[in-house]
């Protein structure tokens, strides 16, 4: 990839980035810094993705109707909370100012053959996410592993009303992979619905990002990827984006979430 197209990819990736801090020891000071980092000299990231306890703080910093959206996580990262608790967590996050909810499905239940657990969970949280709130459903592909299971989890999430399907929490050994992305994007195409895709965890460079964008273009359509249909969930990717947009060289190395 030449430097011109790499820079174009970096600009696109910035517009699709959910700049993330889901570290267990995240502090209010780090959230303030994240809100500032999301607004770069080259444009804004699509969103920040943070723990529910920080949503009200971030909304206070960004104000109403800010172009940088606030995403938060529920049933995270285990996927094993009670439905009523997840619904309450979702309601509270939206009341605090969340624009987007990233929900972990009960993936272990699915692995044991319980498809209904996924449908019931996604349906319940979907009911809390009134427009314009966006629901992204995390299927934890690195734990599901099996091609058929990843495909089925994608189908169940889409059928239950997901606006996006997302690869990973970033909290397990294997996070986003191109193989999982391929299965999920094909599930979206097959559904015929207006559903987006989010690759999360392990995407640390513009070179990495370009592979996912190229895959989306191949399976869906050229120019399909935009903030309403495609996101990257990452903490380290912004650093590489800014290097490339400033005229430097992409690190080309993957990193953690």
């Amino acid at each position: 990839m030449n430097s011109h197209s790499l820079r174009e990819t970096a600009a696109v990736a910035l517009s699709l980035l959910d700049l993330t801090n889901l570290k267990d020891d995240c502090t209010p000071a780090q959230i303030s810094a994240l809100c500032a980092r999301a607004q770069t000299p080259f444009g804004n990231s699509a969103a920040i993705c943070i723990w529910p306890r920080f949503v009200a703080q971030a909304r206070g910093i960004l104000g109403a109707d800010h172009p940088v959206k606030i995403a938060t996580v529920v049933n995270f990262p285990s996927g094993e909370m009670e439905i009523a608790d997840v619904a309450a967590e979702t309601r509270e996050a939206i009341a605090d100012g969340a624009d987007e909810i990233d929900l972990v499905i009960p993936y272990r239940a699915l692995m044991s053959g319980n498809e209904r657990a996924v449908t019931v969970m996604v349906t319940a949280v979907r009911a809390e996410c009134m427009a314009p709130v966006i629901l992204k459903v995390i299927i934890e592909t690195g734990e599901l592993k099996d091609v058929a299971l990843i495909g089925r989890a994608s189908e169940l999430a889409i059928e239950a009303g997901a606006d996006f399907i997302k690869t990973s929490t970033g909290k397990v050994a294997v996070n986003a992979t191109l193989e999982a992305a391929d299965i999920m994007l094909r599930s979206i195409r097959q559904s015929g619905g207006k559903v987006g895709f989010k690759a999360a965890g392990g995407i640390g460079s513009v070179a990495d990002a370009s592979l996912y964008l190229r895959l989306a273009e191949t399976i869906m359509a050229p120019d399909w990827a935009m903030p309403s249909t495609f996101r990257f969930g990452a903490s380290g990717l912004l650093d590489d984006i800014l290097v490339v947009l400033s005229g430097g060289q992409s690190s080309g190395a993957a990193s953690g979430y």
Side-chain angles (χ1 to χ4, degrees):
M1 189 182 290
N2 64 40
S3 60
H4 174 68
S5 62
L6 195 67
R7 201 175 291 193
E8 282 182 356
T9 301
V12 170
L14 174 59
S15 74
L16 306 177
L17 179 62
D18 287 3
L19 183 62
T20 301
N21 188 331
L22 292 169
K23 292 176 179 165
D24 294 336
D25 59 357
C26 182
T27 64
Q30 289 172 337
I31 293 299
S32 298
L34 196 74
C35 290
R37 286 190 72 222
Q39 303 170 78
T40 85
F42 302 101
N44 296 327
S45 71
I48 55 169
C49 187
I50 56 179
W51 290 105
R53 65 183 180 269
F54 295 117
V55 169
Q57 178 197 345
R59 179 54 69 207
I61 293 167
L62 295 173
D65 300 320
H66 197 279
V68 175
K69 301 303 181 189
I70 298 173
T72 194
V73 290
V74 298
N75 203 23
F76 187 96
S78 71
E80 296 189 325
M81 288 170 60
E82 295 294 327
I83 287 176
D85 294 336
V86 180
E89 187 177 40
T90 302
R91 266 197 304 280
E92 190 174 332
I94 293 168
D96 283 347
D99 299 297
E100 303 178 357
I101 299 293
D102 289 28
L103 161 72
V104 184
I105 64 165
Y107 60 88
R108 289 186 186 90
L110 178 63
M111 290 163 73
S112 68
N114 186 354
E115 293 190 351
R116 188 172 176 276
V118 176
T119 300
V120 171
M121 178 66 76
V122 177
T123 301
V125 176
R126 172 78 272 171
E128 302 294 342
C129 297
M130 294 292 131
V133 177
I134 296 292
L135 174 60
K136 307 193 203 92
V137 176
I138 305 170
I139 66 174
E140 202 67 293
T141 55
E143 295 293 287
L144 296 180
K145 297 182 177 71
D146 180 71
V147 169
L149 208 50
I150 292 169
R152 188 63 184 135
S154 300
E155 289 168 8
L156 290 167
I158 292 168
E159 286 165 7
D163 293 307
F164 276 72
I165 49 175
K166 172 178 170 181
T167 58
S168 324
T169 59
K171 297 285 188 181
V172 293
V174 176
N175 293 296
T177 66
L178 288 165
E179 292 76 15
D182 185 278
I183 300 162
M184 294 170 71
L185 285 162
R186 289 179 193 281
S187 296
I188 291 169
R189 187 179 69 186
Q190 202 168 338
S191 76
K194 289 188 174 177
V195 180
F197 168 76
K198 179 173 172 179
I203 300 158
S205 72
V206 176
D208 288 342
S210 71
L211 299 175
Y212 285 88
L213 290 170
R214 216 175 297 159
L215 182 66
E217 189 171 285
T218 302
I219 294 173
M220 301 303 293
D223 303 321
W224 178 78
M226 58 186 75
S228 61
T229 59
F230 193 107
R231 300 286 181 86
F232 291 110
S235 55
L237 179 56
L238 181 60
D239 293 334
D240 200 55
I241 287 171
L242 295 177
V243 167
V244 171
L245 291 175
S246 301
Q249 293 294 311
S250 171
S251 69
S255 72
Y257 200 165

